[in-house]
Amino acid sequence: MLHSRVLRYIDEVARSGSIRAAGERLNVAASAINKHVLQLEEMIGEPLFERLPRGLRLTPAGEILVAHVRRTIKEYSQVEAEIRDLKALQSGEVIIATMNGLAGGIVPKAAAKFCARHPRLKISIRVMFIHDIVQAVIDGEADLGLAFNLPPSPQLETLWKMDTRLGAVVSPEHPLVGLDTLPLAHCEPYPLIFADKSMLIHGIVADAFANAGLTVEPAFLTNSIEAMKCLAAAGDGIAFLSKFDIAEEQRNGVLTYLQIRDRTFGKNVLSLVQREKRSHGLATSMFAEEITRALRATTE
């Protein structure tokens, strides 16, 4: 272990209160331990131990150093364990349950990056409704869940979450492109693309128009995020989705996200969850970190 010999010498002398006792515990000559202690004291420029008739006692400088030593030993032990786990990571599967919009964009992109670095691991992406996502994670049928507006559950641990307000999603050639923020009323003259009533975002969008005093009839209704994106890209229609739903399309210049003025829409919280109080494998933890990085990058 990096610097292990000196660190363990100092730690054991502090615990034993004696260089001789530390040498017996470590099966090392007391003179060798004493030499390292003296060299370290000379390098630091402060005594680490008070030499008492019946042993050694840490000085204030010694207490600071020993606290650092013990943190270093503990952290390095954790690093060694992680490296051993990584070497043993020859195969495995991580199952993520998510929604169709996310499964068509940010999730497979993160999965592709992850598998390029860890080719022996397999990522399974399963598209489900919200209730089924929660149940799959609770039952252990999925390792991770990523979805909007997941109901709270004491059986789930939230690894990352963010309020991802809906906005107007349009083609880059749409007449409204160029506005910094968009009043909801400006959307009224254009073909509106709504999620149908089977999806939670239908209520968020419908309530926003009602609260703004706008009576509208959508030109399109669908329970498919992919269909909403295609309709928006094909003409002057306006869909109402989050940045995460269209992360890949926006990156490729296919769609544009326009922020709606005055936070008209209600909350639309995206959460990454796993089962609470369950032993999670290294592969799951690593892929969760990959997803989290991808989510954060989308907000920057």
Side-chain angles (χ1 to χ4, degrees):
M1 189 177 93
L2 188 65
H3 305 311
S4 63
R5 184 171 57 178
V6 177
L7 297 184
R8 294 196 179 279
Y9 288 175
I10 296 297
D11 180 45
E12 192 55 53
V13 171
R15 293 180 189 278
S16 303
S18 163
I19 289 177
R20 178 172 294 181
E24 291 174 355
R25 286 176 179 269
L26 296 172
N27 195 27
V28 176
S31 59
I33 295 177
N34 188 53
K35 177 183 176 182
H36 284 290
V37 171
L38 292 174
Q39 286 177 342
L40 193 55
E41 287 180 324
E42 183 178 355
M43 183 177 65
I44 292 174
E46 290 283 343
L48 302 176
F49 297 95
E50 292 182 46
R51 274 66 175 178
L52 305 174
R54 294 189 177 183
L56 302 179
R57 183 171 64 196
L58 286 169
T59 64
E63 290 176 355
I64 293 172
L65 180 66
V66 166
H68 166 73
V69 164
R70 289 172 180 169
R71 285 195 303 269
T72 301
I73 291 173
K74 181 179 179 181
E75 289 170 3
Y76 197 86
S77 295
Q78 292 170 347
V79 169
E80 284 185 315
E82 290 176 10
I83 291 173
R84 285 196 301 271
D85 288 344
L86 189 60
K87 288 180 179 178
L89 202 59
Q90 299 300 315
S91 63
E93 179 183 23
V94 179
I95 301 171
I96 180 167
T98 189
M99 309 170 80
N100 62 16
L102 298 168
I106 199 164
V107 173
K109 186 175 181 66
K113 281 187 175 182
F114 182 79
C115 287
R117 294 197 304 274
H118 308 286
R120 293 188 179 95
L121 292 175
K122 180 171 73 174
I123 304 296
S124 292
I125 303 169
R126 298 182 182 174
V127 176
M128 302 178 179
F129 291 111
I130 288 177
H131 173 77
D132 296 326
I133 291 172
V134 171
Q135 203 58 49
V137 176
I138 290 174
D139 292 344
E141 295 176 3
D143 301 295
L144 300 168
L146 179 68
F148 294 99
N149 305 313
L150 288 172
S153 169
Q155 295 172 279
L156 296 179
E157 176 188 358
T158 301
L159 303 175
W160 182 92
K161 72 175 181 178
M162 183 177 180
D163 184 4
T164 60
R165 299 277 174 162
L166 299 178
V169 171
V170 298
S171 73
E173 294 79 27
H174 197 282
L176 295 175
V177 170
L179 296 176
D180 291 335
T181 59
L182 182 65
L184 196 60
H186 281 31
C187 301
E188 192 174 8
Y190 298 95
L192 301 181
I193 306 160
F194 277 23
D196 71 15
K197 292 183 179 180
S198 69
M199 303 178 72
L200 284 176
I201 58 172
H202 174 87
I204 296 173
V205 175
D207 288 347
F209 277 95
N211 292 337
L214 301 171
T215 302
V216 297
E217 283 294 331
F220 305 97
L221 280 171
T222 176
N223 67 349
S224 167
I225 300 293
E226 290 304 309
M228 295 173 71
K229 293 191 286 189
C230 288
L231 288 165
D236 284 348
I238 301 176
F240 299 95
L241 299 167
S242 78
K243 287 183 178 180
F244 293 95
D245 289 315
I246 65 160
E248 194 64 19
E249 291 81 3
Q250 188 161 18
R251 187 178 293 108
N252 294 332
V254 176
L255 290 171
T256 299
Y257 174 93
L258 302 176
Q259 182 179 338
I260 300 297
R261 189 172 297 173
D262 300 327
R263 299 179 70 85
T264 303
F265 290 120
K267 288 186 177 182
N268 186 49
V269 179
L270 178 60
S271 303
L272 176 66
V273 299
Q274 65 183 10
R275 186 177 173 185
E276 177 77 2
K277 297 180 181 178
R278 178 186 176 185
S279 177
H280 302 280
L282 178 61
T284 297
S285 299
M286 291 167 60
F287 185 57
E289 291 175 2
E290 186 73 49
I291 288 285
T292 301
R293 281 194 296 271
L295 293 169
R296 286 176 177 156
T298 302
T299 65
E300 294 175 352

